[in-house]
Amino acid sequence: MDQWEKELKLCFLDEAKQFLDDCEKGFLSLDSDRENPETLDKLFRLAHNLKGTSRAVGFIPISEFTHELESLLSKIKSKSIQITDETVTVLLQSNDCLRKMVSELKSNFELVFDNEELLNKIKILSSGQKLQSAIKSEAIVKETVTESHIVRGRRTVNSEESIRVNLLRLEKLNNSVGELVILQTVLSQHRHEIISPLLLKTITQLSKITKEIQDISMGLRMVPLKQTFQKLQRVVRDTAVTLNKEVELSHSGDDTEIDKTVLEYLSDPLIHIVRNAVDHGLETKFDRLQIGKSHVGKISLSAFHRGSHLVIEIQDDGKGLDVEKIKTKAIEKGLMAADEKLSNEEIYQFIFAQGFSTRTDVSEISGRGVGLDVVKTNIEKMSGEIQIETEFGKGTLFRLFFPLTLAIIEALIVAVGDATFVIPLNHVNETLRPVAKDINSITGQGDVLNLRGETLPMYRLSEILRQNGPKKSSQDSIALIVKNRKSGFAVLVDSIIRQQQVVIKQLGQEIHSHGGLVGSAILGNGRPAMILDLNELVETVFNRSPIKGVA
């Protein structure tokens, strides 16, 4: 077993502890409230996710056991069977059993477990029968501390162990560090007013320490996508083997780092999309050969930054979405009327409806109607967006957008008239002062900038924001050169005040609805300023209300 697979398994076992804590809490709540649909939905999702993820990392005993537990929860959820005291007891016993498996697998990945007695109880309850003999309420498994786990009264510590930190604490830490950065910036900007050499030296040292603390606090939240992409490799491989398909997975951008909070919501949606791509999207070997495709299906994963967003794309070269099949199922489930006229794009959105599945059979991989609704729910929790591009017979692309959520960013502080704005530094490729010979005007397109032989559209930030007042000539302005995957352009500002780190503050919903606003920041003078997304501003330049800056 290579190192990355070992790390993958250990990461899953750490995450599984939290899964099982949440499950136990849910099972216990069934004792007092047995008809709560939210609790039942949550428990079913937890079991479904635990089953899929454990299979993805190679822990088949956990996956097979959880598959039976999921079947029982499915029948409870659909009210095919009633919840009784003995049902809750078996659910709790199942949770204890899984907890034991997770604990013991950490020291030996190859362990085999004998859970036949408990599995029989689960199957009996799933069939709607009562257990033949009374079930003792105590858990069938009790954790014990053996002699081998004790070193002079202290538990041995595995150097590869990790701890789970409450995200609220991380939020508080990052907010405090953000405020510290602001105060340190204020001090640095006023250091010219200080005469004492000792105070000047202290401010310099404080600046260094503040930067170190900031890097550490941000590092606690940031994780690379590499491990997640590796997990998806295993998902693709195992799903393909189960379905007797050959699939080739390619990926790029796995060194892209994202906020831990984003990753918490992102992992499950990616697993569901990739598994669906192999199961639903890619044809069988025989069918692919019949229509002139290679017998090997292809799936690609890519991650990159676009403006203030993290973008992840999952693309397959399969059969694409069948709009008529989706429409028929949507009518059958009452999601649309038979005579209702909807565009193909609107019909595609039905695949995200809860319980929606075009499969007629239920397998360990799909068919229960669980999956893509989780994708949409989790992405919306992050104020994200999901787009679908599909061509019948050619394949499907899922494009996921996630907003910038980092607490602190490097930024340019720019002036436009009497207003000050903040531009994330990673949006800007370079800055320059245009010269007259490089500026041309094209009928119907406006001014363009010749940048080393490349022609770029050129816009004034004051005009994009619809601000009134005198304007500097192009030669007296500063051009911010912005390039993305599709194109590039230049934005003129009056001046660049400085480069500094800023703390992102979330906007209210009424302001957030304006396109092109990432958030706000408090500057070194204590005044607020808007953080702008130049890509989004330019794209929506004609569909926006005037935005006021801050002097």
Side-chain angles (χ1 to χ4, degrees):
M1 180 185 302
D2 55 22
Q3 185 62 29
W4 79 259
E5 187 172 359
K6 183 177 180 181
E7 292 176 359
L8 203 62
K9 289 178 181 291
L10 288 170
C11 180
F12 163 77
L13 293 174
D14 283 337
E15 292 175 351
K17 291 179 183 178
Q18 184 62 50
F19 267 104
L20 295 174
D21 286 344
D22 293 341
C23 282
E24 183 172 74
K25 182 179 179 181
F27 291 148
L28 289 170
S29 69
L30 292 179
D31 255 342
S32 57
D33 187 2
R34 296 180 177 178
E35 300 297 327
N36 190 322
E38 292 183 3
T39 301
L40 293 173
D41 282 344
K42 182 178 180 180
L43 287 170
F44 184 59
R45 290 184 193 282
L46 287 169
H48 185 78
N49 292 338
L50 184 61
K51 179 194 73 173
T53 309
S54 59
R55 178 170 291 275
V57 298
F59 288 132
I60 305 304
I62 292 181
S63 178
E64 291 177 343
F65 183 91
T66 314
H67 179 64
E68 296 298 331
L69 181 62
E70 181 193 30
S71 296
L72 174 59
L73 288 169
S74 178
K75 292 188 176 181
I76 293 173
K77 182 172 176 284
S78 64
K79 299 185 178 179
S80 299
I81 61 175
Q82 298 297 314
I83 301 177
T84 63
D85 288 343
E86 64 182 11
T87 306
V88 175
T89 300
V90 170
L91 290 174
L92 288 169
Q93 290 176 344
S94 300
N95 203 72
D96 288 339
C97 181
L98 285 167
R99 199 185 296 276
K100 176 178 183 291
M101 294 166 73
V102 166
S103 175
E104 294 187 357
L105 281 168
K106 196 156 191 176
S107 59
N108 184 352
F109 295 157
E110 307 302 325
L111 282 179
V112 178
F113 301 90
D114 180 12
N115 300 317
E116 195 62 31
E117 181 181 351
L118 184 54
L119 283 170
N120 285 336
K121 292 179 181 179
I122 294 172
K123 290 174 182 177
I124 290 171
L125 290 175
S126 294
S127 68
Q129 304 176 57
K130 291 187 176 182
L131 298 180
Q132 297 300 316
S133 58
I135 301 175
K136 295 182 179 180
S137 60
E138 64 267 24
I140 61 171
V141 179
K142 292 184 178 180
E143 296 289 348
T144 58
V145 180
T146 63
E147 188 76 26
S148 62
H149 291 143
I150 305 298
V151 178
R152 295 184 180 179
R154 295 183 180 179
R155 187 175 71 85
T156 58
V157 178
N158 185 339
S159 61
E160 294 181 314
E161 284 185 349
S162 59
I163 62 171
R164 298 184 69 90
V165 179
N166 188 303
L167 286 177
L168 288 177
R169 293 185 179 181
L170 281 182
E171 288 291 346
K172 290 180 180 178
L173 173 62
N174 279 280
N175 286 337
S176 297
V177 171
E179 298 301 327
L180 180 62
V181 170
I182 292 173
L183 295 175
Q184 187 274 324
T185 302
V186 173
L187 281 176
S188 296
Q189 290 180 6
H190 290 273
R191 61 183 300 141
H192 65 278
E193 302 173 11
I194 299 173
I195 300 175
S196 169
L198 177 60
L199 286 180
L200 288 171
K201 183 178 180 181
T202 301
I203 290 174
T204 301
Q205 291 174 332
L206 177 63
S207 178
K208 292 179 180 179
I209 294 173
T210 301
K211 183 65 168 66
E212 289 177 3
I213 294 174
Q214 174 198 331
D215 290 342
I216 292 172
S217 66
M218 291 190 67
L220 293 175
R221 294 174 58 103
M222 300 302 293
V223 289
L225 279 169
K226 182 178 180 180
Q227 195 171 69
T228 301
F229 275 17
Q230 288 173 340
K231 184 189 297 184
L232 295 175
Q233 282 183 290
R234 187 62 180 268
V235 171
V236 169
R237 181 184 180 279
D238 289 352
T239 307
V241 169
T242 302
L243 298 171
N244 193 28
K245 295 181 178 181
E246 288 189 39
V247 183
E248 180 182 293
L249 176 70
S250 60
H251 56 87
S252 62
D254 53 2
D255 57 345
T256 304
E257 288 196 336
I258 62 173
D259 192 292
K260 173 68 173 174
T261 307
V262 174
L263 190 61
E264 291 284 340
Y265 288 112
L266 179 62
S267 182
D268 286 340
L270 287 180
I271 288 174
H272 287 305
I273 292 176
V274 168
R275 188 182 289 127
N276 277 356
V278 179
D279 187 16
H280 292 278
L282 298 179
E283 307 92 338
T284 63
K285 298 178 191 177
F286 177 78
D287 288 341
R288 290 180 68 86
L289 291 172
Q290 288 293 102
I291 58 178
K293 292 183 178 181
S294 166
H295 70 283
V296 179
K298 290 182 171 57
I299 294 177
S300 65
L301 294 170
S302 60
F304 53 90
H305 291 291
R306 178 181 292 173
S308 63
H309 289 80
L310 167 71
V311 184
I312 297 181
E313 295 182 343
I314 306 99
Q315 186 167 19
D316 67 69
D317 69 342
K319 54 194 172 187
L321 295 181
D322 187 335
V323 68
E324 291 302 323
K325 195 171 184 179
I326 296 172
K327 182 178 179 181
T328 300
K329 192 67 177 181
I331 294 172
E332 177 186 318
K333 294 182 70 67
L335 298 175
M336 66 176 289
D339 58 350
E340 192 173 355
K341 302 295 182 183
L342 296 177
S343 67
N344 286 353
E345 287 70 24
E346 290 173 317
I347 293 174
Y348 295 150
Q349 294 301 310
F350 287 130
I351 68 175
F352 299 114
Q354 186 175 12
F356 190 94
S357 176
T358 56
R359 290 292 294 264
T360 56
D361 59 319
V362 175
S363 70
E364 288 195 19
I365 295 174
S366 62
R368 295 184 188 273
V370 177
L372 290 182
D373 62 315
V374 175
V375 171
K376 192 172 181 67
T377 298
N378 283 11
I379 291 174
E380 287 179 346
K381 283 181 180 177
M382 294 179 283
S383 299
E385 179 187 352
I386 182 166
Q387 296 178 354
I388 300 176
E389 293 180 12
T390 185
E391 184 176 352
F392 190 67
K394 297 294 182 63
T396 303
L397 168 68
F398 286 88
R399 184 177 292 115
L400 314 182
F401 293 86
F402 302 99
L404 184 63
T405 58
L406 298 181
I408 303 173
I409 60 169
E410 290 283 347
L412 293 177
I413 313 300
V414 302
V416 180
D418 294 330
T420 303
F421 294 98
V422 178
I423 311 294
L425 190 61
N426 62 358
H427 293 198
V428 181
N429 290 71
E430 62 179 294
T431 63
L432 56 89
R433 188 179 294 277
V435 295
K437 68 181 181 63
D438 292 331
I439 301 173
N440 296 291
S441 183
I442 298 179
T443 303
Q445 294 188 27
D447 290 343
V448 296
L449 176 68
N450 186 330
L451 180 65
R452 298 184 292 274
E454 182 181 5
T455 301
L456 301 177
M458 190 167 68
Y459 311 96
R460 289 183 180 276
L461 187 56
S462 59
E463 292 178 353
I464 294 175
L465 301 178
R466 301 180 184 177
Q467 291 183 327
N468 298 319
K471 297 179 177 60
K472 284 189 175 182
S473 66
S474 298
Q475 295 92 317
D476 292 330
S477 303
I478 300 294
L480 309 180
I481 309 301
V482 181
K483 292 188 178 180
N484 54 37
R485 283 165 62 96
K486 291 184 178 179
S487 60
F489 56 90
V491 175
L492 296 179
V493 298
D494 290 353
S495 64
I496 296 176
I497 300 174
R498 62 184 169 274
Q499 176 183 329
Q500 73 172 67
Q501 293 176 336
V502 298
V503 180
I504 295 180
K505 300 293 184 182
Q506 296 300 315
L507 298 172
Q509 191 57 43
E510 68 283 356
I511 301 178
H512 187 70
S513 60
H514 283 283
L517 298 184
V518 176
S520 63
I522 305 298
L523 303 182
N525 58 7
R527 302 294 300 276
M530 293 293 186
I531 306 175
L532 305 180
D533 181 341
L534 295 179
N535 279 288
E536 194 170 312
L537 278 175
V538 168
E539 287 176 4
T540 59
V541 64
F542 299 112
N543 301 300
R544 200 176 49 261
S545 300
I547 299 174
K548 295 181 180 179
V550 178

